[in-house]
Amino acid sequence: MTTMHGSSSRWLLRGDIDGFLGLGLDSFITILLAIDLCRGVLGFSNELITGTVLPAIGASVLVGNGAYALQAWWLGRQEGSCHRTALPYGVNTISLLAYVFLVMLPVKAVAMGEGADAAEAARMAWQAGLMACLGSGLLEVAGAFLVAPLQRWLPRSALLASLAGIAMGFLGLGFLLQVYEKPVLGLAVLAVVLITYFGRLRLPLPGGLLAVL
């Protein structure tokens, strides 16, 4: 998070530790899921996963978060604001599942149906995934020019409704159910998060770090 106090900028605040832990844990789980899907569903070799997929994920996360941090810092300086937070960047779980099951797996099945061996089919699936990511990125760049008109024409609730629904139904509900599967552990951690974030209780360590510990 980047903030402004007078004319000086601050790159690290107390809340950034919680944000780092949340982003790091989410990225770690998503990367484990990506490895499992690449190996178990798509049949990628260990060489392809460790030599290409994982380095690419690491580079994209590093560059993406760095770019967003610079944008937040620049915006804070322009506005003289102390309430500007960098958007977290990482692997999108929903997009990952869509690319694997709707793009890469069908390409692999077609390739093997046409006589390609497992290694060649996996390579073609990987290339199809790259093209899908490129196409998605180009669409996002083109759509960026429509953001300002959409913000003027549509109410904010309409823009955020689909995102909130996905977050609550697809991402949050599963973890909430897991809390009640092991209530002694799950509710204790949930209580720490609620008290520190919503109760404004000052503890020696950030709430996110305490929850992880």
Side-chain angles (χ1 to χ4, degrees), residues 8 24 57 84 109 120 125 127 139 145 152 154 164 188 196 200 210:
S8 62
I57 292 176
R84 291 294 173 261
E120 180 67 15
Q127 293 175 343
L139 287 175
F145 296 98
R152 290 194 299 266
L154 296 176
T196 53
R200 304 296 182 182
L210 289 175

Side-chain angles (χ1 to χ4, degrees), residues 19-175:
F20 174 78
L21 290 172
L23 177 62
L25 183 60
D26 177 75
S27 298
F28 179 70
I29 295 174
T30 306
I31 290 173
L32 291 180
L33 175 62
I35 294 173
D36 185 62
L37 291 174
C38 288
R39 182 180 290 120
V41 176
L42 299 174
F44 285 7
S45 64
N46 290 331
E47 180 181 0
L48 178 59
I49 294 174
T50 59
T52 303
V53 176
L54 292 181
I57 292 176
S60 66
V61 170
L62 179 62
V63 173
N65 281 293
Y68 282 152
L70 287 175
Q71 289 179 3
W73 178 81
W74 179 82
L75 182 61
R77 287 185 62 88
Q78 292 293 111
E79 298 181 349
S81 173
C82 61
H83 300 290
R84 291 294 173 261
T85 302
L87 180 70
Y89 182 90
V91 179
N92 188 298
T93 305
I94 299 176
S95 298
L96 171 65
L97 297 175
Y99 287 149
V100 169
F101 290 103
L102 300 180
V103 177
M104 303 171 74
L105 186 59
V107 169
K108 178 186 176 183
V110 171
M112 296 191 69
E114 294 179 351
D117 58 20
E120 180 67 15
R123 184 185 65 82
M124 295 179 66
W126 166 248
Q127 293 175 343
L130 291 178
M131 292 303 299
C133 289
L134 177 61
S136 176
L138 293 176
L139 287 175
E140 291 180 5
V141 171
F145 296 98
L146 302 176
V147 170
L150 288 177
Q151 287 180 327
R152 290 194 299 266
W153 297 337
L154 296 176
R156 181 172 298 181
S157 58
L159 296 173
L160 297 177
S162 59
L163 182 62
I166 292 174
M168 295 178 62
F170 185 81
L171 300 178
L173 184 59
F175 291 106

Side-chain angles (χ1 to χ4, degrees), residues 176-193 210-211 213:
L176 182 61
L177 294 177
Q178 292 179 17
V179 167
Y180 289 96
E181 287 180 357
K182 299 179 180 179
V184 175
L185 177 62
L187 291 177
V189 174
L190 180 61
V192 171
V193 172
L210 289 175
L213 296 177

